[in-house]
Amino acid sequence: MSQSVELEKGYFGEFGGSFVPPELLEVLKILDENFNKYKDDEEFINEFKYYLEEYVGRETPLYFAERLTKELGGAKIYLKREDLNHTGSHKINNVLGQILLAKRMGAKRVIAETGAGQHGVATATVCAMFGMDCTIYMGAEDTKRQALNVFRMELLGAKVVAVSKGQGRLKEAVDEALGDLVQNYENTFYLLGSAVGPHPFPTMVKHFQSVISRESRAQILKKEGKLPYAVLACVGGGSNAIGSFAEYLSDKEVRLIGVEPSQAATLTTGTTGVIHGFKCIVLQDEEGNPKPTYSIAAGLDYPGVGPEHSHLKTSGRADYVAVTNEEVLEAFQVLSKLEGIIPALESAHAVAYAMKLAPTLEKEQSIVINISGRGDKDVEQVFHMLEKN
Ligand SMILES: *Cc1c(COP(=O)(O)O)cnc(C)c1O
């Protein structure tokens, strides 16, 4: 397993912890005990592995992007193809791990929050596969903007609850889901979507997403005979990035680079605060309220970030950079044209920074970009954005 920088239970340096009401703390403690019991259990590990292979389609290739490398004229560029997973992104790794845990814990129903709908769809997918009752909380505003994802979840057999309290966005959906959990914890499992939230979620999500770097590290050693100069991933809550970094944390010579949107650049411009039950670097106003963010990639539109990334940033082990919407749109098109791979707009953030970095490096060096998801979901949006220009 990867070397963890978790210093004491649920803390990464000063970040993390559980800032929640006592009744919720009790529920999280039971979850933590079960996670620790099963994560090293041989049967559990084998079952996770079985579904990753047979259902998700792992392992995903580490693809040498030959034409992009030539075009940029520097380091060799490798793409970790999480876009090839069933349902088209890395999210399935985490929801699969958590639903296997939910089954072990005897849960009869699964609940989840979703913003743009991607985590809701992933959760509804594994619930369908395991025949679990599934309820997805979604802000009423978001259900309007993402009507097709609501329909997807319903097709997969989930019940979507539109939350119209407050602004009718992700925050209210999280509050509603937590309320449901406190009332129904005896038969209900809360399946969280990123490396955020109170302990043990950030640790658990990292554990299930680490399969990305476990594979990529072995793959690059096989192809190049040495470790890469850098590993790059986009950062929203931070789950695909922490999964891409995990196995390289103790390889001090490997640079770890997280890429954020310039208009939701939590780690580049945020300050320490508490959001959604944990301490992290967060975009907030003077009163400590989360600031509104904007990203053309819905999955990166979050004012907080996982506690481990907050620690990796302040300790200097990882670097975090921001790219503009124009750079992202350019990268989206370049990868499509040169490699025949249409990336998710989220993933295009990592590609955009790689396009600046690679030409500054030597031809003997290599970099790994995590392609967190495929771009089919974004094609219509990009069509309209390019039409406007
Ligand atoms: C949800 C999502 C993200 C952002 O979430 P992280 O937890 O930061 O990984 C990135 N890329 C894709 C394709 C997504 O669906």
Side-chain angles (χ1 to χ4, degrees):
M1 270 300 41
S2 63
Q3 183 199 334
S4 177
V5 297
E6 188 182 7
L7 299 182
E8 58 180 280
K9 229 170 172 33
Y11 273 90
F12 304 88
E14 63 169 308
F15 303 104
S18 318
F19 297 79
V20 297
E23 62 271 26
L24 192 53
L25 202 59
E26 224 17 71
V27 178
L28 293 173
K29 224 182 101 189
I30 297 169
L31 176 62
D32 187 38
E33 284 163 9
N34 278 282
F35 170 62
N36 280 303
K37 176 169 153 199
Y38 289 114
K39 77 175 169 43
D40 301 319
D41 177 73
E42 204 180 308
E43 233 173 87
F44 184 86
I45 293 171
N46 286 338
E47 199 180 353
F48 186 44
K49 194 163 164 270
Y50 172 83
Y51 286 107
L52 284 179
E53 286 174 11
E54 301 292 325
Y55 189 70
V56 176
R58 301 200 76 93
E59 70 179 23
T60 59
L62 182 72
Y63 173 71
F64 175 46
E66 194 174 346
R67 295 192 70 215
L68 182 63
T69 298
K70 255 198 202 122
E71 173 80 15
L72 296 174
K76 284 188 174 176
I77 297 172
Y78 284 90
L79 308 176
K80 182 59 175 160
R81 300 289 311 275
E82 291 302 296
D83 59 310
L84 292 178
N85 288 331
H86 176 50
T87 70
S89 87
H90 69 290
K91 283 194 170 71
I92 192 91
N93 304 326
N94 171 49
V95 294
L96 186 60
Q98 285 196 49
I99 202 162
L100 290 175
L101 185 59
K103 273 203 331 172
R104 292 291 196 287
M105 290 172 67
K108 295 282 172 285
R109 65 191 278 270
V110 166
I111 60 173
E113 83 298 336
T114 196
Q118 289 149 248
H119 173 57
V121 170
T123 303
T125 299
V126 290
C127 284
M129 200 249 291
F130 283 108
M132 282 266 218
D133 186 89
C134 179
T135 302
I136 305 292
Y137 288 95
M138 192 169 183
E141 273 310 305
D142 292 332
T143 60
K144 282 182 219 154
R145 297 195 301 180
Q146 303 287 344
L148 218 50
N149 272 341
V150 173
F151 180 60
R152 264 191 197 104
M153 291 181 250
E154 288 169 352
L155 263 182
L156 292 161
K159 190 171 118 208
V160 180
V161 178
V163 181
S164 46
K165 277 185 200 149
Q167 312 222 309
R169 301 289 305 276
L170 180 64
K171 183 188 178 303
E172 289 80 16
V174 172
D175 291 343
E176 247 357 69
L178 287 175
D180 181 327
L181 178 64
V182 168
Q183 284 210 326
N184 302 304
Y185 70 92
E186 280 182 10
N187 70 358
T188 298
F189 187 95
Y190 184 4
L191 208 160
L192 201 105
S194 188
V196 297
H199 181 71
F201 283 109
T203 299
M204 195 159 78
V205 173
K206 174 195 184 182
H207 180 80
F208 294 132
Q209 289 293 2
S210 294
V211 64
I212 301 173
S213 50
R214 207 155 47 244
E215 288 177 4
S216 82
R217 195 176 180 281
Q219 288 168 317
I220 194 84
L221 284 175
K222 197 163 166 211
K223 287 172 200 277
E224 288 291 314
K226 61 178 183 185
L227 290 169
Y229 167 79
V231 177
L232 292 89
C234 64
V235 181
S239 71
N240 90 88
I242 206 67
S244 306
F245 295 173
E247 294 292 320
Y248 299 94
L249 282 172
S250 49
D251 301 319
K252 296 289 187 247
E253 70 273 29
V254 179
R255 276 187 72 193
L256 305 173
I257 305 175
V259 188
E260 297 181 311
S262 57
Q263 285 161 290
T266 310
L267 285 158
T268 346
T269 59
T271 49
T272 301
V274 172
I275 180 175
H276 295 153
F278 68 106
K279 199 184 223 190
C280 65
I281 297 181
V282 54
L283 292 169
Q284 55 192 341
D285 61 20
E286 270 98 76
E287 275 95 61
N289 301 309
K291 269 194 206 165
T293 53
Y294 173 72
S295 171
I296 55 171
L300 304 184
D301 209 350
Y302 181 60
V305 68
E308 191 164 4
H309 287 294
S310 304
H311 179 64
L312 290 173
K313 151 96 185 177
T314 48
S315 69
R317 175 64 191 94
D319 297 321
Y320 296 88
V321 297
V323 293
T324 65
N325 291 342
E326 292 70 40
E327 291 169 331
V328 171
L329 273 178
E330 174 68 17
F332 182 90
Q333 295 170 83
V334 167
L335 197 68
S336 302
K337 285 217 174 74
L338 290 183
E339 298 293 348
I341 296 169
I342 302 176
L345 276 173
E346 289 86 356
S347 322
H349 284 68
V351 178
Y353 189 73
M355 285 170 59
K356 296 201 254 190
L357 177 67
T360 71
L361 302 173
E362 306 297 327
K363 289 193 164 52
E364 299 72 46
Q365 292 173 303
S366 68
I367 62 176
V368 173
I369 312 173
N370 195 48
I371 303 298
S372 55
R374 64 172 183 236
D376 306 47
K377 68 182 178 55
D378 300 318
V379 167
E380 193 182 343
Q381 187 190 343
V382 171
F383 171 73
H384 291 300
M385 285 188 294
L386 293 178
E387 203 179 30
K388 255 194 243 161
N389 290 342

